[in-house]
Amino acid sequence: MAMAMSDSGATRLRRHLESGGFEARMYVKQLSQQSDGDRDLQEHRQRIQALAEETAQNLKRNVYQNYRQFIETAREISYLESEMYQLSHLLTEQKSSLESIPLTLLPAAAAAGAAAASGGEEGGGGAGGRDHLRGQAGFFPTPGGASRDSSGQGEEGKQRTLTTLLEKVEGCRHLLETPGQYLVYNGDLVEYEADHMAQLQRVHGFLMNDCLLVATWLPQRRGMYRYNALYPLDGLAVVNVKDNPPMKDMFKLLMFPESRIFQAENAKIKREWLEVLEETKRALSEKRRREQEEAAAPRGPPQVTSKPSNPFEEEDDDEPAVPEVEEEKVDLSLEWIQELPEDLDVCIAQRDFEGAVDLLDKLNHYLEDKPSPPPVKELRAKVDERVRQLTEVLMFELSPDRSLRGGPKATRRAVSQLIRLGQCTKACELFLRNRAAAVHTAIRQLRIEGATLLYIHKLCHVFFTSLLETAREFETDFAGTDSGCYSAFVVWARSAMGMFVDAFSKQVFDSKESLSTAAECVKVAKEHCQQLGDIGLDLTFIIHALLVKDIQGALHSYKEIIIEATKHRNSEEMWRRMNLMTPEALGKLKEEMKTCGVRNFEQYTGDDCWVNLSYTVVAFTKQTMGFLEEALKLYFPELHMVLLESLVEIILVAVQHVDYSLRCEQDPEKKAFIRQNASFLYETVLPVVEKRFEEGVGKPAKQLQDLRNASRLIRVNPESTTSVV
């Protein structure tokens, strides 16, 4: 019957969670209001967890059932993709071959084909005819080789060849949309690591008339490549690497601030690469020099072309003449514009970042609202390359590899220039990464002192001072920028707080310090955290969330120590009055009980130095009140139930012992003494604990009230053998 009810309850729960109008927040709110305590919530949580595990198992079972079908479908798709690629390649070859044959040569080609066919019956010349057509169409690369593009092609044929080749390179089509761009040379290469000369990967180089494209091999797709890098030729330097067996046939490409080393298949191909790279760079430089001279040369008035007369055509006087509109020219002959790329290189080399950005701002202001003819686009391309180099240098200035001395202000120069370059997001990311490395280094360099509290004072001072300086510098550098940067800073601050809590917990909680030491350390951390409120940054809730598990463990551990000590004293209890021997000892005990909140302790003292209470009850009172005071220093709302349950468990150990002794003791005098100790516990100690808990937490505890009310059973029927709890 219980199993059936459980199944029906799980079914109702599943239907409720799967309903269309289900809202998690309202569901949890209603559940919290209807539950009768922590146990109900735990049971409901277990039911939801069981339902989640059941759903996961069903999902896994369904995936396993269809696993083989997934594999077979993927294999069929792979076969189909391979066949489609082969078909596409064949069609592209045929199309290129046919389009490259001039129309005027079609009759001659037909005659030559007939002659070749007749000759092919005797000597097998059919293959030569096909090779001739392939040579007319241009070059198609084969794996392991390198070759130049056919020099006899026109611009249209070169463009078709480039398009055909780039169909084999994934992710690069959007990068190669420059008019007049064509393929010059390409071939297979092997890239090596520059420092240790270790082989990295196989690549394929595509040299165009204005840039070099590097693509990596796709092993699973034969003849296909993936885009890796694109380097403009005007920013590229080629260096021959001397042969040093077994490292030979290598050359180096220098692109500031990086370099790459490639190995050709043999010495001949290496020589071809070096020659064609230099030739292409010279041709590109000469072409751009001519374009600049043509753009700078003054032009005469536009010539008006006379309309040829036609005697058979009447003049149309009614149609107005449409004047030709000449495109507005941009004067790029100014000296500072001509020298701008070189000036930018000098500024970058001399680390004059402000001067470089000032030049860029001057150029942008000059070209604002002006057209973009080819010379301007070419100038823009050169400047963009320098901007990329400048950005990389500034990013390196902010990298954690650089020196972290100087504090947050040392990064202001690089950050401000990156923001001026429009790289605000990148500047924010690098600034926060730099400061995270600085905070981590500062924490790691702290010497662990013998006294835990002294180390925690130093740790909090270093961390929160760094956090405060970083926040102020961030507000200075990124004032007026996108508000998303401030969200990034909050995320960074939470991550940094996690770093701090790791070091804090390792020293305070992992080393098993006393609860009083842990409470003082947490208090110091909270006080430093509250100082961040001066700049509007409140991270108190974050430090609470990160410390809650460690504090729970400390409370649980100290609770077990008190319970074990109380049980040990209970086992040796003789139910005798305390004799403190000296008035000084009695006065000290009175002062201790007053500190614990027991104001009426005088009524339990007798003549001379006697106390009308047992040593066990007095020791329990001092230990319990000490635990409560230290726990309240650690208190925040997430620890409410943990602290309350720990108190109840500690009190129950003493209460159960007194109740058991009262029921089992036969001596009337000892029984009266036990009853007096029980009265002290219920009427003095428990109200003090309840009052102090309410003062520290801000609300009463029903569990403590119920525990105190249980004393009525003893007063009403002290002879009963029924247990109080």
Side-chain angles (χ1 to χ4, degrees), residues 239-279:
V239 180
N240 183 20
V241 178
K242 184 178 179 181
D243 289 351
N244 185 17
M247 302 303 173
K248 59 180 182 177
D249 304 328
M250 292 184 172
F251 59 92
K252 180 184 289 187
L253 298 182
L254 301 178
M255 307 76 62
F256 181 83
E258 60 177 318
S259 63
R260 300 177 72 171
I261 294 180
F262 299 99
Q263 183 184 48
E265 185 176 357
N266 51 50
K268 178 178 178 295
I269 294 179
K270 169 189 172 180
R271 187 169 58 255
E272 289 182 358
W273 269 107
L274 295 176
E275 291 175 356
V276 74
L277 277 167
E278 290 299 331
E279 291 174 4

Side-chain angles (χ1 to χ4, degrees), residues 480-527:
T481 59
D482 185 11
S483 59
C485 293
Y486 289 90
S487 301
F489 177 79
V490 173
V491 173
W492 173 85
R494 191 192 188 289
S495 175
M497 186 65 74
M499 190 190 312
F500 164 78
V501 169
D502 287 342
F504 182 94
S505 299
K506 189 178 297 183
Q507 189 66 19
V508 175
F509 296 106
D510 293 353
S511 58
K512 304 299 181 184
E513 292 289 342
S514 64
L515 191 65
S516 59
T517 302
E520 287 297 325
C521 293
V522 172
K523 180 181 178 182
V524 170
K526 286 182 178 180
E527 290 174 353

Side-chain angles (χ1 to χ4, degrees), residues 105-223:
L105 296 181
L106 281 178
S118 61
E121 296 176 359
E122 301 175 0
R130 287 191 297 272
D131 291 341
H132 174 72
L133 290 179
R134 186 180 298 273
Q136 292 283 343
F139 170 70
F140 293 88
T142 57
S147 181
R148 292 175 184 260
D149 187 23
S150 177
S151 60
Q153 297 184 87
E155 292 296 328
E156 185 178 353
K158 292 178 180 180
Q159 185 65 34
R160 283 198 301 270
T161 303
L162 176 63
T163 303
T164 303
L165 287 173
L166 296 181
E167 286 180 353
K168 298 185 177 183
V169 182
E170 295 181 352
C172 76
R173 179 167 295 277
H174 65 287
L175 301 173
L176 300 168
E177 297 179 348
T178 306
Q181 193 175 57
Y182 59 88
L183 183 70
V184 177
Y185 190 81
N186 76 108
D188 294 337
L189 298 168
V190 179
E191 183 175 5
Y192 280 78
E193 202 266 330
D195 295 331
H196 307 290
M197 300 305 290
Q199 182 174 333
L200 294 179
Q201 58 185 344
R202 293 181 60 193
V203 301
H204 197 91
F206 296 90
L207 176 61
M208 269 69 76
N209 58 325
D210 60 349
C211 61
L212 174 66
L213 184 144
V214 180
T216 57
W217 282 77
L218 292 176
Q220 68 275 16
R221 300 177 63 185
R222 182 173 178 81

Side-chain angles (χ1 to χ4, degrees), residues 632-658:
L632 288 177
K633 294 180 183 178
L634 297 168
Y635 177 83
F636 44 89
E638 291 82 353
L639 296 171
H640 182 82
M641 290 304 300
V642 176
L643 175 57
L644 186 57
E645 290 172 358
S646 300
L647 272 176
V648 170
E649 287 184 39
I650 292 172
I651 294 172
L652 279 176
V653 174
V655 168
Q656 288 175 345
H657 173 67
V658 171

Side-chain angles (χ1 to χ4, degrees), residues 369-649:
D369 299 329
K370 286 186 172 61
S372 299
V376 174
K377 292 182 179 179
E378 186 166 334
L379 177 64
R380 286 283 192 187
K382 288 184 178 180
V383 171
D384 289 344
E385 176 61 21
R386 271 69 178 185
V387 171
R388 183 184 67 83
Q389 296 175 8
L390 177 60
T391 303
E392 290 177 354
V393 173
L394 292 172
M395 290 167 58
F396 180 71
E397 288 292 312
L398 292 173
S399 65
D401 298 332
R402 299 283 290 172
S403 176
L404 298 175
R405 297 179 181 177
K409 293 182 180 179
T411 63
R412 182 179 300 176
R413 185 184 180 206
V415 168
S416 61
Q417 302 312 315
L418 277 175
I419 293 175
R420 290 179 63 189
L421 289 174
Q423 300 287 336
C424 181
T425 303
K426 180 60 68 175
C428 175
E429 176 186 351
L430 292 173
F431 172 80
L432 295 178
R433 190 183 302 170
N434 178 283
R435 297 314 306 155
V439 172
H440 178 72
T441 303
I443 292 176
R444 190 176 56 189
Q445 291 177 349
L446 271 179
R447 285 176 29 179
I448 299 178
E449 303 288 348
T452 301
L453 190 57
L454 178 61
Y455 171 81
I456 293 303
H457 272 288
K458 292 183 177 180
L459 175 65
C460 291
H461 175 73
V462 168
F463 174 76
F464 287 101
T465 300
S466 299
L467 194 62
L468 192 61
E469 291 176 353
T470 301
R472 287 172 176 166
E473 183 63 25
F474 185 92
E475 191 171 9
T476 301
D477 292 347
F478 295 92
T481 59
D482 185 11
S483 59
C485 293
Y486 289 90
S487 301
F489 177 79
V490 173
V491 173
W492 173 85
R494 191 192 188 289
S495 175
M497 186 65 74
M499 190 190 312
F500 164 78
V501 169
D502 287 342
F504 182 94
S505 299
K506 189 178 297 183
Q507 189 66 19
V508 175
F509 296 106
D510 293 353
S511 58
K512 304 299 181 184
E513 292 289 342
S514 64
L515 191 65
S516 59
T517 302
E520 287 297 325
C521 293
V522 172
K523 180 181 178 182
V524 170
K526 286 182 178 180
E527 290 174 353
H528 278 82
C529 191
Q530 289 170 358
Q531 294 177 3
L532 298 176
D534 297 339
I535 60 171
L537 185 63
D538 186 6
L539 300 179
T540 308
F541 68 100
I542 294 179
I543 199 171
H544 284 175
L546 295 175
L547 285 176
V548 62
K549 184 178 293 185
D550 290 325
I551 296 178
Q552 284 179 354
L555 291 176
H556 178 77
S557 177
Y558 202 70
K559 174 200 71 176
E560 295 298 329
I561 292 175
I562 294 177
I563 290 176
E564 288 299 321
T566 304
K567 287 182 177 179
H568 179 71
R569 289 192 298 266
N570 290 344
S571 65
E572 299 176 352
E573 178 63 79
M574 302 298 294
W575 293 113
R576 296 175 180 173
R577 293 191 303 163
M578 290 179 62
N579 186 3
L580 298 179
M581 307 299 293
T582 63
E584 290 80 9
L586 179 60
K588 183 179 178 181
L589 178 60
K590 290 180 180 179
E591 190 64 29
E592 289 176 350
M593 298 305 289
K594 184 177 180 181
T595 304
C596 291
V598 180
R599 306 296 180 183
N600 58 345
F601 188 72
E602 291 283 345
Q603 69 184 41
Y604 295 99
T605 59
D607 299 334
D608 296 331
C609 299
W610 290 91
V611 177
N612 297 325
L613 295 172
S614 72
Y615 168 77
T616 301
V617 173
V618 173
F620 168 79
T621 302
K622 293 194 294 184
Q623 205 167 19
T624 302
M625 293 306 300
F627 170 79
L628 178 58
E629 289 297 330
E630 301 301 336
L632 288 177
K633 294 180 183 178
L634 297 168
Y635 177 83
F636 44 89
E638 291 82 353
L639 296 171
H640 182 82
M641 290 304 300
V642 176
L643 175 57
L644 186 57
E645 290 172 358
S646 300
L647 272 176
V648 170
E649 287 184 39

